[in-house]
Amino acid sequence: MSTGTAWSVALTGLVGQMVEVEAAIGGGLPRTVLVGLPDTALYEARDRCKVAVASSGLSWPAHLVTINLSPASVPKFGSHHDLGIAMAVLSAAGAIPEAAGLRTVCFGELGLDGRVRSVPGILPAMIAAHEAGFRRAVVPWGQVREACLVDDLSVIGVSTLAELVAVLAGRAEPRPVAGAEPTAPEAPAHRKDLADVAGQAGARFALEVAAAGRHHLYLHGPPGVGKTMLAERLPGLLPELNRAESLEVSALHSLAGQALTGLIERPPYTDPHHSSSPASIIGGGSRVLRPGSMSLAHRGVLFLDEAPEFNPRVLEALRVPLESGALTVGRAHGRAQFPARFQLVMAANPCPCGRKDSRGAACTCTPSAIRRYQQRISGPILDRIDIQQQLVPLSRAVLRSTGTVESSAVVADRVAEARQRQHRRLAGSGWTTNGEVSGPYLRTHLPLPEGLDLLDSAVTRGLLSPRGVDKVIRVAWSIGDLAGVDVPGREHVATALGMRHGVQVPG
Ligand SMILES: [Zn+2]
């Protein structure tokens, strides 16, 4: 009996676990069996591997071939184990040196013609392998750059199984990684500049405060006033991701099947349409669990335009990530947890038809329809939103005016300074931004020396709910941080209160 070993990775969410693939040849009639609680998906893998090996000018052993993937307890979904299975069998058959499979992780799907196909999740798989002490990896050629994002990992990219065998048998040199696809241009959302937004000084300021304190934001206004334009410009105001955040965000996008040629270093932006399936927004899938828009917005911005139109399941699903920064998906075939610490920006029209408050055509919605529309965003979600901003249609004169408008770069500098103030002030609290700070912490550790009478008076007159008080205080801190003061003064509280009064919405 001859044996061979190779290594693959099983992914559950972003968590990868090493899987040892063992193959043994001999001891019975010619057939191939899988042992160790194999999933039906692995029988498909076995059949693909047999055909791929034959197509590559090699032969599948004409004996009993026993394949074991361990640990047995790890669910082994996905087609990316193909490469490891083929490697183990070819190693047992003597087609490649036995030592080749040792401490080398293989991750890729095989086509029936012997091609090595790209698979989602290369980056989290390589991170897991590296953490487990592996220093060499074989991946599909199209994803070689993505695998190389992990430091201190020697990566071999191959297009076909025949190429892999030639390289491991020492008959060919691995192709230099420099020949792979160059870095893709950055997503357009990050190039959009605040200087393009005409007028809307109040909304621009609200966006700046939201960026500074990482406050969730709700924009109200008729269609065409620039709600989407503003939301798209929020990522450009946010600080760059640090190395750990960058790796985590990139791994999530890799898992979603997005081709990566470099690390994602800017906060991401996702804007799912309200007609998208809940699974595509929340995350999920029938067998292999994939992150949805909420997780792809992790450490960045999730924009829900026409928010009341979203499926109630989606709106309800916002609660957990807004609370905990993560969400769990999956049911029958296991569960996976995905990070989802996004900054939420919602936008809504004033009514279902969108014409209320706009110039020109008259609104046809009944008062009860308008009320129902506005109530579709539930109280627990609104509780998490510190800033609600009303946008009004601009007059032609404003649109024609050519006054200088600040660029994103100028605003981002102020935001960066405001963030540094928060980091220093909140050091040791577990939070880094004003938007995350809880009400009790706010009241005990960050009392306002001035301006409380303004809040009391607003509560007395019924203009502000007790919950609203915490929000105004959080926003006042961010306004103070932007102004470069150590503690917000009366004028900052007044500005924050004014921002709250700009819109008459519950919460
Ligand atoms: Zn209407």
Side-chain angles (χ1 to χ4, degrees), residues 350-357 362-366 370:
C351 67
C353 85
R355 290 194 289 268
K356 184 175 172 286
D357 302 340
C363 168
T364 53
C365 307
T366 63
I370 293 174

Side-chain angles (χ1 to χ4, degrees), residues 254-307:
S254 165
L255 208 55
Q258 189 175 316
L260 293 179
T261 49
L263 283 181
I264 298 171
E265 287 166 339
R266 296 287 315 154
Y269 174 83
T270 63
D271 56 348
H273 192 259
H274 57 74
S275 65
S276 306
S277 73
S280 75
I281 300 175
I282 301 164
S286 54
R287 278 190 157 286
V288 182
L289 300 170
R290 299 270 176 245
S293 307
M294 288 184 187
S295 289
L296 297 179
H298 179 57
R299 307 256 176 231
V301 174
L302 175 70
F303 177 52
L304 303 183
D305 195 12
E306 300 187 47

Side-chain angles (χ1 to χ4, degrees), residues 231-361:
E232 286 172 339
R233 282 155 182 78
L234 180 54
L237 306 183
L238 302 175
E240 195 151 285
L241 304 176
N242 65 33
R243 167 84 186 174
E245 291 168 345
S246 184
L247 266 176
E248 189 185 28
V249 168
S250 304
L252 278 164
H253 287 250
S254 165
L255 208 55
Q258 189 175 316
L260 293 179
T261 49
L263 283 181
I264 298 171
E265 287 166 339
R266 296 287 315 154
Y269 174 83
T270 63
D271 56 348
H273 192 259
H274 57 74
S275 65
S276 306
S277 73
S280 75
I281 300 175
I282 301 164
S286 54
R287 278 190 157 286
V288 182
L289 300 170
R290 299 270 176 245
S293 307
M294 288 184 187
S295 289
L296 297 179
H298 179 57
R299 307 256 176 231
V301 174
L302 175 70
F303 177 52
L304 303 183
D305 195 12
E306 300 187 47
E309 302 284 358
F310 276 77
N311 185 315
R313 248 185 78 198
V314 170
L315 295 174
E316 211 39 41
L318 287 169
R319 285 176 66 165
V320 174
L322 284 177
E323 186 83 37
S324 67
L327 46 79
T328 303
V329 299
R331 228 171 279 151
H333 290 282
R335 291 162 163 274
Q337 198 185 53
F338 293 115
R341 193 170 294 284
F342 50 78
Q343 188 171 358
L344 178 65
V345 181
M346 296 197 295
N349 294 331
C351 67
C353 85
R355 290 194 289 268
K356 184 175 172 286
D357 302 340
S358 66
R359 291 157 195 277

